[in-house]
Amino acid sequence: MKRVLAVLFGMALAAPALALDKPRDFVPPPVGQIPNFRDQTREVIQELATYAKKRNPNFQVVMRGGYELLVKGEVEVEWEDIRDPDGTNFIKRLPLRATFRPLVKVLDGLVIDGMYCGPNKFDKPLAEVIKARKDLDAQLDREHRQGIHRLPTPIPMGPFSNDPAEELRKAAEIRQLQERAETQRREIYAIDVMRTEGRTLMAVDFCASAAEAEAAFRAGARDKAPTFAKPGGDKLDEAPRAHPAFENAAEVTTIATARNWLPILRSDRFGTKGEFIDAIAKTNYDVVVVDVAHRGADLLRFADIAKLRYKKLGPRRLVLAVMPVGRAFDWRWYWLKDWDVGNPAFLFAHDEDPGVFITDTGSGEWRGVLSKYLTGIMDLGFDGVMFDDVGTYLWFEELMPLGG
């Protein structure tokens, strides 16, 4: 019965669909040799963040996504069972839903995508959402001790129809609901851990309308999660409004005291680097997150960061650099023109977007690139970093499933 449930769980609650452009001549390793991709990503972020905090204890470290890195899930339990089928090291394992405290310890904040807008948004205050999840988990744990095994998110069944088209439509609807519930479950665990440990939650939302974006701002204030909500589009590349929601005249030197934030991760729509810097300098956001180079190539300088460090009102704010971890981009400053999949070896595969590559976070060479990247960020005078594109472990898990 447990095996049947595991199969159903894997089918119904698979990781979100990702591009699977396999490298040429790719042959998956035996199941027992598949790495723990989540732990590889954890190691990278912990190493980088630890270095940054040691060099500057006030340096702010934020992670966007990567919810499964914070709390132990079923995939890692299955990975351990495969590696240790007799349970020899069972006592040394972290239990299911345990917190990975070394990672949480080096993070100041977590960015959640789509918390208030989009298909996976929460329709209730976070406190209520977390309580409902804890209550359900407690009930499932009680049932498990009684020999009853249910999936962590319920699978709706029926109604059934003799019309094949209606059955296909209903099946697609059920799958969508199930994927939404599973995505929310993973996010809730991460949100709860970060709140419990006194870390800051930040939200970024792409909304259908201006009214929905305003509602997202209010929900973020209610949940004490500074929110950037944008009506229309799905890119963080547009000129900001000068006066953000919940404008704050106070000085902001830590993520924890921020009331709003602005991520502009690409500056292609701006003219010169100077025009880009001026556009942000004329705003009153508490935190701004930018790339280290205008249009990916024109590196910002120490003086540019110094200019961004003050709101138009005058008080101090934080300036963070975005730093992709699990992807490489052929338009970024570090790219060499002869690079391609397999050269260097850490460029594992093409992603679905042109010029984007999935990287092997287990590669020492790639970790060396990331180390130099972070050192450069700190040398430029940034107040912190936002690790982005950390969720590619899901891509590798889909490419090399433990179920064979």
Side-chain angles (χ1 to χ4, degrees), residues 18 37 41 66 325-328 351 357-361 388-398:
L18 300 168
F37 296 109
T41 308
V325 171
R327 288 183 173 88
D351 201 4
F357 297 78
I358 301 291
T359 58
D360 175 10
T361 55
D388 202 5
D389 293 294
V390 302
T392 50
Y393 52 85
L394 296 174
W395 186 94
F396 282 100
E397 289 175 0
E398 191 175 349

Side-chain angles (χ1 to χ4, degrees), residues 10-69:
M11 293 173 62
L13 308 182
L18 300 168
L20 284 179
D21 183 8
K22 299 180 182 180
R24 183 178 299 176
D25 301 324
F26 174 76
V27 177
V31 173
Q33 296 178 20
I34 294 176
N36 183 335
F37 296 109
R38 301 184 185 196
D39 215 35
Q40 284 184 352
T41 308
R42 261 185 224 112
E43 288 176 1
V44 173
I45 295 174
Q46 287 173 207
E47 288 173 6
L48 294 170
T50 299
Y51 160 77
K53 292 287 188 180
K54 185 175 181 180
R55 177 173 166 179
N56 177 7
N58 296 320
F59 194 77
Q60 302 290 285
V61 178
V62 176
M63 182 174 73
R64 183 182 180 191
Y67 317 121
E68 298 85 359
L69 304 180

Side-chain angles (χ1 to χ4, degrees), residues 139-192:
Q139 178 182 341
L140 293 173
D141 289 343
R142 288 193 297 270
E143 291 178 357
H144 188 272
R145 289 192 292 270
Q146 297 169 2
I148 302 171
H149 299 280
R150 282 202 294 148
L151 297 176
T153 52
I155 298 179
M157 301 294 289
F160 300 101
S161 168
N162 291 326
D163 182 355
E166 173 61 18
E167 281 296 286
L168 288 173
R169 185 199 67 78
K170 187 63 178 178
E173 179 182 309
I174 289 174
R175 181 175 179 81
Q176 185 177 33
L177 290 172
Q178 188 64 21
E179 288 178 349
R180 178 177 189 264
E182 172 60 11
T183 298
Q184 289 184 333
R185 180 177 79 99
R186 298 178 185 185
E187 290 179 358
I188 291 167
Y189 290 152
I191 289 169
D192 183 36

Side-chain angles (χ1 to χ4, degrees), residues 96-164:
L96 181 65
R97 299 199 300 270
T99 301
F100 287 98
R101 297 195 179 281
L103 177 58
V104 175
K105 183 179 178 181
V106 296
L107 294 177
D108 296 286
L110 176 70
V111 176
I112 309 286
D113 279 71
M115 195 150 66
Y116 302 117
C117 295
N120 298 320
K121 67 180 181 180
F122 294 112
D123 298 319
K124 297 179 180 179
L126 290 183
E128 294 182 20
V129 169
I130 291 170
K131 182 180 184 304
R133 182 69 246 178
K134 286 185 173 180
D135 289 346
L136 177 56
D137 283 339
Q139 178 182 341
L140 293 173
D141 289 343
R142 288 193 297 270
E143 291 178 357
H144 188 272
R145 289 192 292 270
Q146 297 169 2
I148 302 171
H149 299 280
R150 282 202 294 148
L151 297 176
T153 52
I155 298 179
M157 301 294 289
F160 300 101
S161 168
N162 291 326
D163 182 355

Side-chain angles (χ1 to χ4, degrees), residues 235-272:
K235 304 292 184 183
L236 298 172
D237 61 354
E238 294 182 3
R241 62 187 194 184
H243 301 284
F246 304 102
E247 195 169 38
N248 178 19
E251 182 177 74
V252 174
T253 56
T254 66
I255 292 290
T257 58
R259 297 182 62 189
N260 54 68
W261 73 300
L262 169 68
I264 299 186
L265 307 189
R266 292 201 66 168
S267 57
D268 298 47
R269 293 195 179 195
F270 297 83
T272 65

